[in-house]
Amino acid sequence: VSQTGVVGIVINVSEHYSIVASLLNKEIRVSSKIARTGHVGSLMWTGTSATEGLLTEIPQHVNVRRNDTIITSGYSTIFPKGIVLGVVHKIRQNKGTFSDIFINFTTDFSNLDYVYVVEALNAEERRALEEKATGGL
């Protein structure tokens, strides 16, 4: 993470270096929530602009507003809850039951010098418990 929000996910480490997959990678999905309403969805990069992400899986009945803040949900072991991801700038209703919610990332990916690595200290215990509860599903 940076001072302004999420940057990406550490995918490999050595003694002195880390490799990070940026949020600007179409394979990365971040469990996210609308801070004002608490509704949870999945955030990904749109693939078109380094400033824009797409929040999916938010039902159309949710009252999403421009300028709503999108934060990490805390529902995974990758990020703790409450880290800022971006701000809603456009909502598009689909023919189905969900809306496409476009956000502007709060992280300026063209101007990063220093980032912080967040370590989930109890991640392995949590994963083991979740696997035991779901039978490995």
Side-chain angles (χ1 to χ4, degrees), residues 81-99:
K81 68 179 177 180
I83 300 174
V84 176
L85 290 155
V87 176
V88 174
H89 76 89
K90 181 171 67 173
I91 301 123
R92 183 174 63 203
Q93 302 297 322
N94 289 330
K95 292 181 181 176
T97 58
F98 298 104
S99 299

Side-chain angles (χ1 to χ4, degrees), residues 19-37:
I19 296 175
V20 175
S22 158
L23 279 184
L24 304 182
N25 179 326
K26 291 194 82 164
E27 302 300 316
I28 301 293
R29 304 280 188 278
V30 178
S31 179
S32 310
K33 85 164 73 170
I34 302 167
R36 183 178 56 80
T37 68

Side-chain angles (χ1 to χ4, degrees), residues 36-54:
R36 183 178 56 80
T37 68
H39 289 86
V40 176
S42 183
L43 180 71
M44 67 185 103
W45 179 45
T46 60
T48 57
S49 168
T51 62
E52 186 177 68
L54 175 64

Side-chain angles (χ1 to χ4, degrees), residues 111-128:
N111 187 23
L112 285 172
D113 285 325
Y114 297 97
V115 297
Y116 303 93
V117 175
V118 178
E119 182 179 5
L121 298 177
N122 299 320
E124 288 304 317
E125 178 183 355
R126 179 177 170 172
R127 275 193 279 271

Side-chain angles (χ1 to χ4, degrees), residues 6 15-16 30 32 42-43 61-63 100 106 127:
V6 171
E15 185 176 347
H16 300 287
V30 178
S32 310
S42 183
L43 180 71
H61 73 271
V62 174
N63 182 19
D100 287 335
T106 51
R127 275 193 279 271

